[in-house]
Amino acid sequence: MKRVQFEHSTIPYLFIAPQIAIIAIFFIWPAGQAIHQSFLLEDAFGLSSQFVWFRNYVDTIGDAAWLQAAWFTTIFSALVTFLSLGIALLLAVKANEVIRGASTYKTTLMWAYAIAPPVAGLMGNLMFHPLIGDLYKFFNAIGWDFNHKLDSFDAGFVVVLIAVWKQVSVNFIFFLSGLQGISKAVNEAALMDCKSPTRRFWTITFPLLAPTTFFLMVINITYAFFETFGIIDTTTGGAPGGSTNTLVYKVFQDGFRGADLGGSSAQSVVLMIIVLALTIIQFRFIERKVHY
Amino acid sequence: MATVKLNNIKKVYPNGAEAVCGVSMAIENGEFIVFVGPSGCGKSTMLRMVAGLETITKGDIEIDSKVINNVSPADRDVAMVFQNYALYPHMTVRGNMAYGLKNRGLAKAEINTKVNEAAKMLKIDDYLDRQPNQLSGGQRQRVAMGRAIVREPKVFLFDEPLSNLDAKLRVQMRIEIKRLQRRMGVTSIYVTHDQTEAMTLADRLAVINDGRIEQMGAPIELYNNPKTLFVASFIGAPHINLIPARFENKKLVCGNLKLPGFKNLPEDIELVLGIRPDFLRPDTKGQLEIQVDLVEQHGADNLVYGALKNSSNDTELCFKTTQNTLPDIDSNLKLKFEQKHAMVFNKSTGERLI
């Protein structure tokens, strides 16, 4: 025997088969379908269809409603990512300093993680309900003419608030474990080298958390793009006037409510390209600045 | 350069565990003090109390006659070298060394000069732009030292800085640390569990046990004249020979072995006779007899091990001899010691009686 070499056997393929099957059935096949459909114009009952080349794309990108949804998605994702990361980091740093009752703090902060986005949306719905919502009443009581059913800023505020609240717990868990991964001795060395806690945080703790932050940023942007669907569907439903439509929600509305399968397929293909581009940008340009 | 004074300092943890139970000492300007003791004896805790990384439960610590109990670690003007180096992994070597100076608001040019100077002194000037993870253990150790040196602190604190290095590098760095400290003349406190490091580095040595100082003094004084059984057995390599005994009819008795020449010892308690391996030598008129079971050849010296004969229990003895003395395994050998080299301890209290 010269060296250990495994014979080509079917076993490795069997091991990855379930994963391949899942990807094929739930990603490649529907994605292929979407691309195919995006070139078709179909009647509302699905009885006839016509190949229209790129007309669906032209109609989609040129549509003011789509551009509005794209703009809202950008602002929404940026806000949700920035706020949920910022708040979670602050909470994690503070929770990390707590010595007495630390586990109670942590458990309490992690609870929201167990709540599904639609449920979070329903809870938000109750809190902002014009008749029984406490937050609705509170905002109006302090002089803010708050009405998310009519005002698009207020509606955006509601979905951002719920989406952030829901996501903070996930980020918190990762930040906390990231903080606990920083060597105690390094913190102590910093304690002897730098008096100001703020400066210590920005020069030592934050750079050492960069891998965690980068990872969470990718996760959070994906979350803001896709998983907030449930929140938007149960709270504003894109209202008022489509001002809280995210790209994903618009795909759903146009395809399933508007029965424009070709148009919504074209939108989802564009969305796929956007996400792909975003991911490449994140890994190309931001990850370089991350010290592992 | 500074004096450090510990005034009856105590450390009690919230769970009631007492790590340091009332330690006092005065450290002179430029002195190299070593705290040595087994793990868990409180030596690191004491060092960390000086550094400001542990609170002081009771008592106070003075640097240059100023109580620093409530001064933040960064303001104490002390620099510490950690066991696992604790370098900032995201900074270059230069960044690591400059960090403390930057935070103290020094001018860039001044920082550069100081960093370059220290780097040259430690022979790390070629690595200044590397990240810590691109360095070997020894180089990291030097960077950690450099980070402490550039600060030009009043006091250097070393927390087992060499224990992560391999044996050869450890000896080399030990010598360098000693030279550096001599050259800079900075008051230093060094914590270690390694008695060789302790003996070779210290101007004065404090043997710590259970949160207390067992004995403090020049290394050679502790070696020649230990006050307790603990100090005698902790200091010295190879380990001191200890023979359990009792004093009966003016003789020290261990099984069938009876040793004359001892006076004024209590008869009713268990005793321990201690003789350093250096002071035993083969002699046909020797008081002790061993059956040789192992010879370790260290080069210049040989260490001969054997079971003490006629004793009531299994006592292993060791003696140091020259390269040419190579007794056969299983042969019997008589060993002689001078009366002045014999130490007798009270077994239960550890107190030295002779």
Side-chain angles (χ1 to χ4, degrees):
Chain A
M1 244 183 36
K2 278 173 284 183
R3 66 190 179 109
V4 182
Q5 190 176 25
F6 293 107
E7 271 182 47
H8 290 287
S9 83
T10 49
I11 291 178
Y13 298 103
L14 284 176
F15 279 132
I16 59 164
Q19 186 65 30
I20 294 287
I22 288 169
I23 291 174
I25 295 169
F26 291 100
F27 179 72
I28 297 176
W29 186 51
Q33 284 280 350
I35 293 169
H36 174 64
Q37 285 222 326
S38 68
F39 292 106
L40 300 178
L41 187 61
E42 211 166 329
D43 71 277
F45 302 101
L47 296 174
S48 65
S49 61
Q50 191 189 348
F51 194 77
V52 292
W53 285 107
F54 289 96
R55 235 184 73 196
N56 283 329
Y57 288 92
V58 175
D59 286 352
T60 294
I61 310 281
D63 187 10
W66 188 84
L67 289 175
Q68 195 200 7
W71 177 239
F72 177 73
T73 309
T74 312
I75 301 285
F76 176 75
S77 306
L79 276 176
V80 168
T81 304
F82 180 75
L83 288 175
S84 58
L85 283 179
I87 295 169
L89 181 58
L90 184 73
L91 289 173
V93 168
K94 291 298 168 198
N96 198 34
E97 285 166 6
V98 173
I99 298 166
R100 208 165 286 187
S103 60
T104 318
Y105 267 100
K106 288 167 196 168
T107 316
T108 316
L109 282 164
M110 283 176 201
W111 255 343
Y113 186 37
I115 297 167
V119 177
L122 282 173
M123 287 163 61
N125 236 355
L126 289 174
M127 283 194 272
F128 288 102
H129 196 281
L131 294 176
I132 56 167
D134 288 329
L135 283 177
Y136 183 89
K137 286 179 187 160
F138 172 72
F139 286 142
N140 279 291
I142 59 168
W144 178 3
D145 186 17
F146 182 88
N147 191 342
H148 64 287
K149 300 280 185 198
L150 297 175
D151 188 285
S152 48
F153 176 83
D154 295 356
F157 175 82
V158 169
V159 285
V160 168
L161 184 76
I162 298 168
V164 167
W165 176 77
K166 167 78 188 80
Q167 190 63 6
V168 161
S169 56
V170 186
N171 296 344
F172 170 77
I173 296 170
F174 280 100
F175 273 134
L176 191 65
S177 70
L179 283 170
Q180 284 168 352
I182 296 176
S183 130
K184 199 175 152 233
V186 167
N187 279 326
E188 287 176 346
L191 207 62
M192 304 190 71
D193 271 346
C194 179
K195 196 185 174 190
S196 150
T198 325
R199 208 179 142 75
R200 245 184 352 250
F201 175 80
W202 290 113
T203 50
I204 304 289
T205 315
F206 191 71
L208 292 179
L209 275 181
T212 313
T213 313
F214 174 70
F215 164 75
L216 285 177
M217 210 179 77
V218 176
I219 296 287
N220 277 265
I221 289 176
T222 318
Y223 163 81
F225 260 72
F226 297 99
E227 284 170 56
T228 50
F229 175 90
I231 294 173
I232 290 169
D233 192 43
T234 47
T235 50
T236 62
S243 63
T244 54
N245 261 346
T246 57
L247 288 172
V248 173
Y249 197 66
K250 193 166 168 10
V251 168
F252 163 77
Q253 281 218 313
D254 289 358
F256 292 88
R257 297 279 177 266
D260 175 12
L261 289 182
S264 90
S265 296
Q267 285 179 37
S268 61
V269 172
V270 172
L271 186 62
M272 202 152 69
I273 293 166
I274 293 174
V275 171
L276 197 68
L278 213 58
T279 313
I280 291 170
I281 290 171
Q282 284 177 339
F283 277 90
R284 267 283 168 85
F285 298 105
I286 302 179
E287 198 192 16
R288 270 193 205 160
K289 298 202 166 119
V290 172
H291 170 89
Y292 283 102
Chain B
M1 296 256 266
T3 58
V4 179
K5 220 170 154 191
L6 312 185
N7 293 326
N8 200 23
I9 55 163
K10 280 184 189 167
K11 177 77 196 178
V12 184
Y13 284 106
N15 63 8
E18 223 174 327
V20 178
C21 357
V23 167
S24 300
M25 70 171 74
I27 300 171
E28 302 289 321
N29 220 335
E31 220 179 357
F32 201 126
I33 296 288
V34 175
F35 294 169
V36 66
S39 51
C41 71
K43 58 189 189 301
S44 275
T45 312
M46 281 164 57
L47 187 80
R48 293 165 56 82
M49 284 158 92
V50 178
L53 301 172
E54 298 275 357
T55 54
I56 301 162
T57 314
K58 237 182 179 175
D60 48 45
I61 297 179
E62 293 171 22
I63 294 180
D64 273 345
S65 314
K66 198 181 129 224
V67 177
I68 47 138
N69 286 26
N70 297 318
V71 178
S72 81
D75 286 340
R76 290 189 181 194
D77 207 0
V78 297
M80 183 148 160
V81 180
F82 292 83
Q83 179 176 0
N84 52 8
Y85 322 131
L87 299 178
Y88 309 123
H90 57 297
M91 294 182 192
T92 58
V93 169
R94 184 185 291 282
N96 265 283
M97 288 168 72
Y99 183 67
L101 299 177
K102 250 190 236 166
N103 291 324
R104 284 175 175 76
L106 266 72
K108 243 189 183 156
E110 200 184 347
I111 294 178
N112 255 331
T113 325
K114 285 189 181 207
V115 168
N116 289 339
E117 220 169 84
K120 200 167 267 176
M121 192 148 76
L122 289 162
K123 301 184 193 90
I124 47 172
D125 36 353
D126 290 341
Y127 321 118
L128 276 175
D129 295 313
R130 291 206 200 158
Q131 303 263 322
N133 60 8
Q134 295 167 310
L135 302 177
S136 70
Q139 289 165 343
R140 283 181 211 187
Q141 177 58 51
R142 281 165 196 273
V143 177
M145 297 266 302
R147 191 169 64 179
I149 288 172
V150 288
R151 290 255 319 270
E152 293 173 14
K154 282 183 180 169
V155 184
F156 274 142
L157 304 174
F158 298 90
D159 190 6
E160 309 207 15
L162 304 182
S163 49
N164 282 7
L165 299 178
D166 64 63
K168 196 180 156 196
L169 212 50
R170 200 178 306 162
V171 175
Q172 195 187 326
M173 283 306 290
R174 192 173 79 203
I175 294 166
E176 269 183 57
I177 288 180
K178 182 78 175 171
R179 279 207 187 110
L180 215 61
Q181 197 268 346
R182 280 270 167 281
R183 179 139 52 119
M184 300 183 65
V186 176
T187 312
S188 303
I189 306 177
Y190 187 109
V191 162
T192 180
H193 59 256
D194 181 313
Q195 72 89 32
T196 318
E197 261 172 48
M199 288 288 287
T200 50
L201 285 171
D203 290 329
R204 274 194 304 155
L205 196 59
V207 179
I208 318 275
N209 184 27
D210 268 340
R212 287 187 180 78
I213 298 181
E214 284 269 334
Q215 193 176 350
M216 187 163 179
I220 204 66
E221 185 196 325
L222 264 62
Y223 182 80
N224 288 336
N225 206 1
K227 281 197 185 121
T228 66
L229 183 56
F230 182 84
V231 175
S233 60
F234 202 86
I235 301 292
H239 204 258
I240 189 169
N241 293 302
L242 297 172
I243 305 164
R246 291 186 81 90
F247 193 60
E248 283 164 14
N249 301 323
K250 305 201 166 161
K251 278 177 184 156
L252 210 51
V253 180
C254 173
N256 292 328
L257 191 69
K258 292 187 171 59
L259 302 169
F262 295 91
K263 278 179 216 157
N264 300 330
L265 286 168
E267 299 214 348
D268 47 350
I269 53 168
E270 305 247 357
L271 303 171
V272 176
L273 171 65
I275 306 159
R276 297 228 177 256
D278 331 27
F279 300 133
L280 283 173
R281 57 190 160 76
D283 190 315
T284 44
K285 287 183 206 139
Q287 304 99 310
L288 304 168
E289 193 177 12
I290 59 166
Q291 184 172 16
V292 177
D293 55 25
L294 181 71
V295 181
E296 269 186 350
Q297 290 178 279
H298 287 253
D301 305 318
N302 288 352
L303 292 180
V304 182
Y305 296 86
L308 177 64
K309 296 190 90 173
N310 299 320
S311 71
S312 53
N313 40 24
D314 300 331
T315 306
E316 274 279 315
L317 290 194
C318 165
F319 73 96
K320 199 177 205 169
T321 179
T322 53
Q323 193 182 26
N324 304 324
T325 317
L326 264 173
D328 294 326
I329 303 294
D330 288 337
S331 64
N332 289 342
L333 203 60
K334 286 207 160 183
L335 299 174
K336 188 174 164 60
F337 61 89
E338 303 288 334
Q339 207 61 39
K340 63 178 180 191
H341 290 139
M343 307 178 216
V344 180
F345 303 93
N346 178 334
K347 191 177 181 183
S348 58
T349 63
E351 183 196 354
R352 171 110 178 253
L353 302 171
I354 290 180

